[in-house]
Amino acid sequence: MLRLRNQVLGTEITLGETPEYSYILEEIDWGTVESARQSYKFINQTGVIVTSTTLETRQIQITGWVIATTAQTMRSRKAVLNGFVNPLQMIDIYTDDGYKISGLPESSILYPTDIQDNNEILCEFQITLFCPDPLFYMAQDSIAMIATWLPKFHFPLTIPTPEGIIMGLRSPSLIVNISNNGHIETGMVIEFIAKGTVVNPSLVNVTTQEIIKLNKTLSSGEQITVNTNDNNKSITFTSGGVTETAFQLLDFEDSVFLKLQKGDNLFRYNADDGLDNLDVRITYSPKFLEVQGVI
């Protein structure tokens, strides 16, 4: 079973495997990902020297059937597909195993005319998607909290006298290990959240010593969000419910847009002052070249 979502319309269509569904999935070809290499060679050199390798796009083809009980129902369900598959609107594909990939339709919905079984109760359709990003992502992002408060408040509530009760404890760890189980490196969204005055928050990769630092004094409730994902790099500042672009806060002398390498990644948060007032949350999604058993 597959779930398709039109990003612009916000509507979804489920391709099921049994007759109670309006649309039945017959077959899906996930395609493959080819590489492109930059290389050079010297005179009389055997072979070449590869300087870089990048990934190309992916094409996905979906074949299914529209199921109906009357000609009017068939027309209605085909009309839904006609508006859903739009070459100008990106479609997300969600699999049963919790993965997601997105693509643009190569054309409007195709109903093959050479299929003799196409009639008022059964009609084949084809959807071909062009995926500019050929990688699979987890449908649900992963979240890592480096610094936060541990709640201690619970019911039933008993407050000893005269000791009182601890309502929360500050997490003692300044370092977190984030495991990227994907096939390649991936970006992340880093949120620096102030619970009091914080001066110049930063995050450093303990292994590589790469750092991203923001030159800003934050007050309680203010937040800086850094997105290091390719094609979506951004820095925003939120205060009083208002969010604005804030690339000017980046310490350009030392900072890099940190990535999660394949495997373990150790990160440490810091600040020039007010470290105990800083919470740091990292959101990320591993990337996969291919996924076995995605249906």
Side-chain angles (χ1 to χ4, degrees):
M1 185 173 71
L2 293 178
R3 182 164 57 91
L4 309 183
R5 180 181 181 274
N6 184 302
Q7 291 185 4
V8 175
L9 300 179
T11 56
E12 295 186 359
I13 288 177
T14 299
L15 305 184
E17 298 172 343
T18 52
E20 64 262 26
Y21 290 95
S22 302
Y23 309 99
I24 300 297
L25 175 65
E26 179 182 6
E27 183 181 10
I28 182 165
D29 180 358
W30 294 105
T32 57
V33 183
E34 296 184 357
S35 64
R37 291 174 294 277
Q38 298 293 323
S39 63
Y40 68 91
K41 68 183 305 179
F42 297 106
I43 297 175
N44 298 325
Q45 176 183 334
T46 300
V48 298
I49 297 175
V50 177
T51 58
S52 66
T53 302
T54 58
L55 299 177
E56 294 297 300
T57 59
R58 179 193 298 269
Q59 186 181 79
I60 296 175
Q61 187 168 78
I62 301 172
T63 303
W65 295 88
V66 185
I67 304 295
T69 54
T70 65
Q72 181 178 354
T73 302
M74 175 60 71
R75 287 193 296 269
S76 176
R77 291 178 177 175
K78 290 174 71 174
V80 171
L81 281 180
N82 294 343
F84 185 86
V85 180
N86 185 332
L88 298 176
Q89 299 170 351
M90 190 76 76
I91 291 178
D92 299 325
I93 304 178
Y94 296 89
T95 74
D96 280 347
D97 289 349
Y99 298 98
K100 181 182 87 168
I101 191 169
S102 304
L104 281 167
E106 292 273 20
S107 67
S108 57
I109 191 77
L110 172 63
Y111 302 104
T113 57
D114 58 345
I115 304 298
Q116 295 182 354
D117 292 336
N118 284 357
N119 50 53
E120 69 275 6
I121 61 173
L122 193 65
C123 180
E124 187 181 53
F125 66 86
Q126 292 178 1
I127 302 172
T128 302
L129 298 178
F130 166 77
C131 303
D133 182 346
L135 300 173
F136 290 89
Y137 291 76
M138 299 301 299
Q140 295 294 326
D141 290 338
S142 299
I143 298 177
M145 299 295 297
I146 301 182
T148 186
W149 286 89
L150 306 175
K152 304 297 289 185
F153 183 83
H154 59 83
F155 288 100
L157 177 63
T158 303
I159 303 178
T161 304
E163 293 87 355
I165 186 173
I166 297 175
M167 306 298 289
L169 291 175
R170 178 71 173 177
S171 173
S173 176
L174 298 177
I175 297 177
V176 66
N177 179 28
I178 300 178
S179 179
N180 173 16
N181 64 343
H183 296 156
I184 64 174
E185 70 173 21
T186 185
M188 51 186 166
V189 176
I190 310 163
E191 298 171 87
F192 298 96
I193 307 166
K195 301 301 183 182
T197 301
V198 178
V199 179
N200 301 340
S202 61
L203 184 71
V204 60
N205 184 311
V206 176
T207 303
T208 66
Q209 289 300 296
E210 293 177 323
I211 187 174
I212 188 164
K213 183 176 182 179
L214 291 311
N215 294 325
K216 176 69 175 177
T217 298
L218 300 176
S219 300
S220 180
E222 294 182 334
Q223 175 177 324
I224 297 177
T225 302
V226 180
N227 189 333
T228 73
N229 287 286
D230 293 337
N231 302 321
N232 287 298
K233 288 186 174 68
S234 65
I235 299 177
T236 60
F237 172 67
T238 301
S239 179
V242 178
T243 299
E244 58 186 18
T245 299
F247 266 104
Q248 74 277 7
L249 302 181
L250 183 66
D251 188 326
F252 288 96
E253 182 176 353
D254 299 317
S255 295
V256 297
F257 282 87
L258 299 173
K259 296 293 188 66
L260 291 171
Q261 301 301 317
K262 188 177 183 300
D264 293 335
N265 298 262
L266 291 176
F267 290 101
R268 184 186 190 278
Y269 74 100
N270 205 351
D272 290 351
D273 193 24
L275 182 61
D276 288 341
N277 296 325
L278 178 63
D279 284 357
V280 180
R281 178 168 54 201
I282 295 176
T283 304
Y284 62 100
S285 180
K287 301 177 181 180
F288 302 88
L289 285 168
E290 303 295 342
V291 179
Q292 296 298 320
V294 290
I295 297 181

